Amino acid sequence: MINDPCGPTVPAPRAPRATVVLLLATVGLGLNLRAWILLGPQLHDRFGVPPGPTYALLMTLPLLVAALARLPVGVLTDRYGPRLTYPVVSLVAAGAAVGMGLAGRLPAVVAAGAVSGVAGTALVVGGSLVATTFRYGHRGRALGVFSCGTALAVLFSAVARAWDPEGRRAAVVLGAALVGFAGLAALTFRDHVVVHRAGSPVRRSLELIRLACTTSLSALYAVALGGLVAVSMYLPLYLFIRFRLSWYAALVITAAVVTLAAAARLVGGWLTDRRPAVRLLTTCYVVAASLCLVVAVAPRLWWLAVPVIAVIAVCDGLAGGVLLALIGKAARPDTVGALLGVTGSAAAFGALLPPLALIAVHRLSHSAATAWIISALTLLAVAHYVEAHGLRVGLGLAVRSDVESTETATSVVVVDEAALRADAPAVVARLAELATSDELVVVYGSDRPARPRRGAELLVAGLAERLPRHDIAVLRLTPRPGALTRVGTVVDELVEEGTVPIVVAPVPEAGGVAARLTDRIRADRVLVLAYTPADGAVLNTVWSRRVPVRNDH
């Protein structure tokens, strides 16, 4: 309620339901993606550009613009909020669509088509909105539903082609629809995270570029998240050239394949909400690689090859849904735009480079089989990477928060082995986030403290990945007399050096060990990390020297 001293009490404005926000954001994504791929129909239907190398090169322009724009747009989304950036992106897309519809010459249409690449950033802005609107336990499914905007773009394309084969009127109508969406989004959406405008967006973007260039995760995102866009833009060209199908038949088949892949992304996000699904990624990539080899040796019969290609796209969609959900779950609310921006840029480059490379291989070898074999080898390499670096994949990129901590404390956190088994990336990410502002001591309760094996190894590996400037030390508490006193002395020295100590103790004794260590090092608070599928890893304050008891989400 809002109390006005000069008038009656009036109710505060209510935030829209999360479902309404999700549906509107998904429709907006579909409209923007339709504008993003609008150049293709304009080239072929209006100006008669034949499917071939020239067509493929012109179609790379919107992809290139999206690849360059997604990162700064993600940074600006964290800075100003999706309530502002989503309408702005949609208005730019509307201008590009109307420009393509009204332009009468090919160069002008190509220029407007290049500008339409900004519409490809809607995935970053809308994904940030969805990730900050939904709780941890529903975020994967919500992002999967949002990804179905790709299927809506296919539907809009089919309706537009049936109503206006030339595409000029449909382009203008699309622009009007995007303007209407922008207005509705500005009225409906709310920023669920307090935006911070300190620092330079340019400096932030350069920092993220350096981060992306120094981690192998960028290559994974390029392959895993760029596949669906590559299929939607280049599969018609492949079917037209390889199997001599009509251009219309190639478009219809591509629409069906993209719709199946988009539905698979929804399933992938739903599975990630139920339990960590990093292992599912390996299975998807191995199956897709095997099917690429099948296509390479299959006879030149489209009705045999197309179902196999459809299953490859479904595997790619399923893996993409899992990976997008993992990214959304791992990101801090105030950095989700930047994280989606840098991964989205990698995905756009991933959609841009492989098809061009495959076209070059095809021209040199005069065989599509070589291109499919290269694709199979690439997917097998990705599967091996995911199998070897599952925790790193679950943690995602360590994007630094722009929000400066106003208070530094020494925190002792009790972590149960069961929480780490349930979702190691979520637990590690929450501890690493706390370590960026506090001096951190972890008390790890293990059922087998003498030989904690994988649990302590996961903590050390995960914290070392997220905290490259910190040393991590593991101390095992033995049942000998005076052991806790000696461990407390070592912990005090390690904390003074900036090291994060992990003290391994039996589960029943973990709370008492935390209390004794708190007295020994004069820590400011004791927290217990609890994990639930609905809320993820949550830090509950059980004792504090200076502040009231509260929960840190």
Side-chain angles (χ1 to χ4, degrees):
M1 305 292 286
I2 299 176
N3 295 320
D4 185 354
C6 299
T9 300
V10 296
R14 296 177 57 187
R17 293 177 59 88
T19 304
V20 175
V21 172
L22 176 60
L23 293 178
L24 184 58
T26 304
V27 172
L29 178 64
L31 292 171
N32 277 278
L33 292 184
R34 170 56 184 161
W36 191 23
I37 62 175
L38 188 60
L39 179 60
Q42 295 286 317
L43 291 175
H44 184 268
D45 297 335
R46 284 183 59 191
F47 296 96
V49 178
T54 301
Y55 177 89
L57 288 175
L58 291 176
M59 285 298 296
T60 62
L61 292 176
L63 273 175
L64 180 60
V65 171
L68 296 174
R70 279 180 168 178
L71 176 55
V73 168
V75 171
L76 292 174
T77 299
D78 286 338
R79 190 178 178 89
Y80 295 102
R83 185 184 185 185
L84 175 63
T85 52
Y86 210 165
V88 169
V89 165
S90 300
L91 290 175
V92 174
V98 173
M100 279 186 277
L102 298 181
R105 303 183 65 181
L106 180 59
V109 170
V110 171
V115 175
S116 72
V118 175
T121 65
L123 181 64
V124 173
V125 181
S128 174
L129 174 69
V130 172
T132 54
T133 299
F134 285 83
R135 295 172 59 191
Y136 182 91
H138 301 284
R139 202 172 296 161
R141 182 177 56 185
L143 288 169
V145 172
F146 175 69
S147 297
C148 289
T150 307
L152 287 180
V154 171
L155 176 61
F156 297 153
S157 300
V159 172
R161 185 177 180 84
W163 171 62
D164 180 25
E166 189 183 29
R168 300 191 69 168
R169 288 179 298 167
V172 175
V173 171
L174 175 63
L178 282 164
V179 171
F181 166 75
L184 190 59
L187 293 174
T188 305
F189 293 159
R190 297 289 184 272
D191 293 327
H192 298 276
V193 179
V194 178
V195 295
H196 299 270
R197 300 177 183 175
S200 167
V202 175
R203 190 185 309 115
R204 177 70 160 169
S205 298
L206 293 176
E207 174 189 325
L208 292 170
I209 291 173
R210 287 194 295 268
L211 174 64
C213 292
T214 56
T215 176
S216 52
L217 282 173
S218 299
L220 172 65
Y221 295 145
V223 174
L225 297 177
L228 187 55
V229 176
V231 166
S232 64
M233 289 195 169
Y234 293 99
L235 181 58
L237 190 64
Y238 172 78
L239 295 175
F240 179 84
I241 296 174
R242 172 68 174 170
F243 299 108
R244 307 298 181 185
L245 296 179
S246 68
W247 185 244
Y248 180 75
L251 291 176
V252 171
I253 292 173
T254 300
V257 170
V258 170
T259 301
L260 290 174
R265 278 199 171 186
L266 171 58
V267 175
W270 175 76
L271 289 174
T272 308
D273 277 341
R274 295 177 63 87
R275 61 176 298 122
V278 172
R279 186 166 297 177
L280 179 61
L281 291 172
T282 305
T283 303
C284 290
Y285 294 134
V286 170
V287 172
S290 303
L291 293 177
C292 284
L293 295 176
V294 171
V295 177
V297 300
R300 297 184 60 177
L301 299 173
W302 72 268
W303 49 270
L304 289 177
V306 166
V308 179
I309 294 174
V311 177
I312 294 173
V314 168
C315 290
D316 179 83
L318 189 62
V322 170
L323 199 57
L324 187 62
L326 290 174
I327 293 170
K329 284 174 171 287
R332 289 168 52 110
D334 59 323
T335 64
V336 64
L339 183 55
L340 288 175
V342 70
T343 55
S345 291
F349 279 116
L352 175 66
L353 298 179
L356 295 180
L358 296 180
I359 290 173
V361 170
H362 181 265
R363 290 177 66 89
L364 291 174
S365 65
H366 303 288
S367 171
T370 305
W372 284 107
I373 292 172
I374 292 175
S375 298
L377 294 176
T378 302
L379 290 171
L380 287 175
V382 171
H384 175 71
Y385 177 87
V386 173
E387 183 68 22
H389 303 282
L391 179 60
R392 177 183 295 178
V393 174
L395 285 171
L397 293 175
V399 176
R400 180 186 61 83
S401 174
D402 261 351
V403 182
E404 299 293 337
S405 176
T406 57
E407 180 181 358
T408 299
T410 301
S411 298
V412 178
V413 182
V414 180
V415 180
D416 190 87
E417 191 173 38
L420 201 65
R421 284 199 301 262
D423 194 342
V427 172
V428 171
R430 191 67 186 91
L431 290 174
E433 180 185 337
L434 181 64
T436 59
S437 60
D438 287 15
E439 294 178 331
L440 178 64
V441 177
V442 178
V443 178
Y444 176 59
S446 173
D447 294 329
R448 301 180 63 183
R451 301 179 63 186
R453 298 185 299 177
R454 183 165 174 77
E457 294 174 1
L458 281 175
L459 269 180
V460 172
L463 290 176
E465 176 76 22
R466 274 301 177 94
L467 303 169
R469 298 182 180 180
H470 291 69
D471 292 326
I472 314 297
V474 178
L475 305 172
R476 291 178 175 84
L477 190 63
T478 64
R480 297 176 183 176
L484 184 56
T485 300
R486 291 191 292 272
V487 168
T489 302
V490 175
V491 167
D492 197 10
E493 295 174 354
L494 292 174
V495 170
E496 288 294 327
E497 296 172 358
T499 300
V500 177
I502 301 174
V503 180
V504 182
V507 173
E509 301 176 16
V513 170
R516 292 283 300 276
L517 288 176
T518 299
D519 290 337
R520 178 67 181 81
I521 67 175
R522 295 193 58 79
D524 297 295
R525 55 180 180 170
V526 178
L527 306 99
V528 175
L529 188 146
Y531 175 82
T532 63
D535 297 318
V538 178
L539 291 173
N540 299 307
T541 304
V542 295
W543 177 85
S544 177
R545 189 182 304 276
R546 293 178 295 179
V547 297
V549 175
R550 61 184 177 87
N551 291 342
D552 290 333
H553 292 278

